[in-house]
Amino acid sequence: MQQPLDPQEIPPGCPAHGNIQMYGPSFGADPDSHYAQLRGYGLSAPVDIAPDVQAELVTSYDAALYVLQNPASFVRDSRRWNALNEGRVPADSPALPMMGYRPNALFSDGAAHARLRRAVTDSLATVNEHQLIRQTQQSANYLISQFSTDIRGQAELMAQYAQPLPLLVFSDLFGCPPEIGDRVIAGISGIFEGTPGADEVLGGALTELIALKRRRPGSDLTTRLMEHSAQLSDEEVLHQLVTLLSGGTAPLAAAIGTSSALYLDEDWQVGLPVEDAVSQTLWNYAPISNYAAHYPTHDVELGGRVVRANDPVLISFAAANTDPKLAEHREQLSAKAHLAFGAGPHACPAKDPAFMIAVTAVETLLNQLLDVEMRVPFKSLTWAPSPWSRSLVTLPIRFTPKAVPQAAEPAGTNAGRTPQQQATASSPMNSGPSRTNTGAAPQPKGGLFSRFLAWTKGE
């Protein structure tokens, strides 16, 4: 395999070394240097988004808007992909799960896209804002309760908070019963972790959920999709749910982690609201960094570079947001002018709820752990070496631990306690025997969602 190119040793725009590699440790450690090098080519540049997978990557803000807002010349249906149709994409390529066709709104165009997107946007529009905030706070409080009594006063915020929080919120929004919710979380988590069979686990769980809602409709997002006037088939409902999960949970986890780290960083200006940290994350650390493959319907020219019809054109949301040409007037732009949520007909339909969840998650953390701080400086944190997303690998924090619940209490001790206080005493961080060094006690049975629901009921 060709070694990643070192941006310090290669002249910008030099074509002699082939495409620039957008994956691996070199890219993950310093993506901004790669974007700076790519800008030497013009508005877009040739890249390898994965081993043996070539694409044209748009790095210009204006050019990105042009592609995103021009569905007549740039379509999303990846069944047009030249290299894939010609057998030039490795069957085990990590690019296939990200770019391969799925029958959902993301990979559809024209009337088909309008029908599926309308069902999704209309269903999301029925989600009550105050209810969503309460769901997020409740999920956040549960996760914090699992590590806040650790007598070491330490936690790893990505694994213990930022990553599971969106999974709990979405499982709740979908109206999952405990066991199905556990499998939905296991399936989508396994897909992102590359676990064999995770696709089947997720598909099976969502199929059961849809069948359940056919028998017993509810006031949840799944039921709203199924009852929408677009009359989606069960298979179409399943694929829209998968899109919401994959497009919502991992980017949200990245946004929550990065926003928390920015706010806790010693260089953060005291007094600025959490909303500013989330906005800065979306501008400078776009959770979805390079994605949104488009396929030109004809040969097109981008800033002097010709892209063949049906060769993939990807959008670098990260590079577009940090385009030097924006520097002079970025302060005059709307705080929402970033491209982290995309633009045009395929812009994220859940951008407002996503922003709300991220802000609520960070605020709840700060309210629950008043003296929380990072154990390492922001500049020393490690980022995942993925071309698709910008996410912290770990976010180690310290805090003053809360009082450790007693392992056993006399009958009647719970009298006068709230259900959450009772649950805190019986729902600690780890399963298994009680461990005096952390203050943890045995955990209720079941997966993450089952334990969360049990906690909300005070069980």
Side-chain angles (χ1 to χ4, degrees), residues 15-34:
H17 300 283
N19 294 354
I20 296 172
Q21 293 187 357
M22 302 293 289
Y23 57 89
S26 175
F27 172 74
D30 190 8
D32 289 335
S33 291
H34 286 66

Side-chain angles (χ1 to χ4, degrees), residues 32 35-36 38-40 42-44 58-66 282-286 316-331 333 337-339:
D32 289 335
Y35 298 140
L38 290 169
R39 292 187 183 106
L43 306 182
S44 65
V58 177
T59 58
S60 158
Y61 183 91
D62 290 339
L65 277 178
Y66 171 72
L282 297 174
W283 271 107
N284 297 331
Y285 306 92
S316 179
F317 301 108
N321 281 349
T322 56
D323 186 340
K325 292 184 179 180
L326 292 180
E328 294 181 2
H329 58 279
R330 183 166 140 177
E331 291 184 359
L333 291 174
H338 59 76
L339 298 181

Side-chain angles (χ1 to χ4, degrees), residues 158-438:
M158 291 304 297
Q160 293 178 267
Y161 188 69
Q163 291 167 353
L165 195 154
L167 296 171
L168 290 176
V169 173
F170 272 74
S171 296
D172 211 3
L173 284 174
F174 285 4
C176 293
E179 192 272 337
I180 290 180
D182 288 341
R183 285 190 287 137
V184 166
I185 290 175
I188 193 66
S189 300
I191 288 173
F192 286 117
E193 295 164 3
T195 305
D199 266 321
E200 290 76 11
V201 171
L202 179 60
L206 291 177
T207 298
E208 287 187 31
L209 176 64
I210 293 167
L212 173 65
K213 298 303 176 182
R214 288 285 181 206
R215 298 192 304 271
R216 296 198 301 272
S219 58
D220 49 74
L221 199 57
T222 306
T223 300
R224 291 173 194 134
L225 273 172
M226 296 170 65
E227 294 180 345
H228 191 270
S229 59
Q231 297 184 325
L232 272 59
S233 68
D234 285 358
E235 181 182 10
E236 288 175 325
V237 172
L238 185 150
H239 283 289
Q240 308 326 302
L241 292 176
V242 171
T243 303
L244 287 168
L245 276 172
S246 58
T249 56
L252 256 178
I256 292 168
T258 305
S259 301
S260 299
L262 281 173
Y263 196 91
L264 296 174
D265 184 44
E266 59 184 11
D267 292 333
W268 182 256
Q269 184 176 334
V270 177
L272 289 179
V274 168
E275 285 88 345
D276 283 13
V278 177
S279 291
Q280 185 170 324
T281 293
L282 297 174
W283 271 107
N284 297 331
Y285 306 92
I288 300 178
S289 301
N290 306 288
Y291 193 52
H294 290 71
Y295 300 86
T297 57
H298 53 85
D299 291 0
V300 297
E301 182 177 328
L302 290 173
R305 290 183 53 78
V306 176
V307 183
R308 283 199 313 152
N310 298 325
D311 279 353
V313 175
L314 270 64
I315 306 298
S316 179
F317 301 108
N321 281 349
T322 56
D323 186 340
K325 292 184 179 180
L326 292 180
E328 294 181 2
H329 58 279
R330 183 166 140 177
E331 291 184 359
Q332 281 73 50
L333 291 174
S334 163
K336 297 181 179 180
H338 59 76
L339 298 181
F341 292 124
H346 283 88
C348 175
K351 57 184 178 181
D352 291 334
F355 189 88
M356 189 184 308
I357 291 171
V359 170
T360 303
V362 179
E363 288 180 340
T364 305
L365 175 74
L366 298 172
N367 292 333
Q368 288 287 336
L369 304 176
L370 299 179
D371 61 350
V372 63
E373 60 183 16
M374 290 193 294
R375 304 205 310 264
V376 297
F378 182 86
K379 62 184 179 182
S380 299
L381 295 171
T382 303
W383 300 87
S386 166
W388 314 105
S389 63
R390 184 71 163 152
S391 181
L392 291 168
V393 175
T394 61
L395 178 51
I397 60 170
R398 68 168 68 93
F399 50 88
T400 299
K402 296 186 176 183
V404 179
Q406 297 297 317
E409 297 179 338
T413 302
N414 282 332
R417 286 184 173 180
T418 67
Q420 288 190 358
Q421 288 171 330
Q422 296 175 27
T424 300
S426 61
S427 300
M429 182 172 58
N430 299 303
S431 59
S434 175
R435 297 187 294 177
T436 56
N437 65 318
T438 64

Side-chain angles (χ1 to χ4, degrees), residues 115-177:
R115 171 176 168 269
L116 294 174
R117 183 178 174 86
R118 186 174 67 254
V120 172
T121 54
D122 289 351
S123 299
L124 285 170
T126 64
V127 175
N128 182 277
E129 176 181 322
H130 299 293
Q131 179 185 358
L132 181 61
I133 291 175
R134 287 196 299 272
Q135 287 175 316
T136 304
Q137 289 173 333
Q138 192 171 46
S139 299
N141 286 332
Y142 166 71
L143 294 169
I144 292 169
S145 78
Q146 305 304 286
F147 62 76
S148 60
T149 58
D150 188 320
I151 62 173
R152 297 169 300 179
Q154 297 183 2
E156 200 293 279
L157 207 63
M158 291 304 297
Q160 293 178 267
Y161 188 69
Q163 291 167 353
L165 195 154
L167 296 171
L168 290 176
V169 173
F170 272 74
S171 296
D172 211 3
L173 284 174
F174 285 4
C176 293

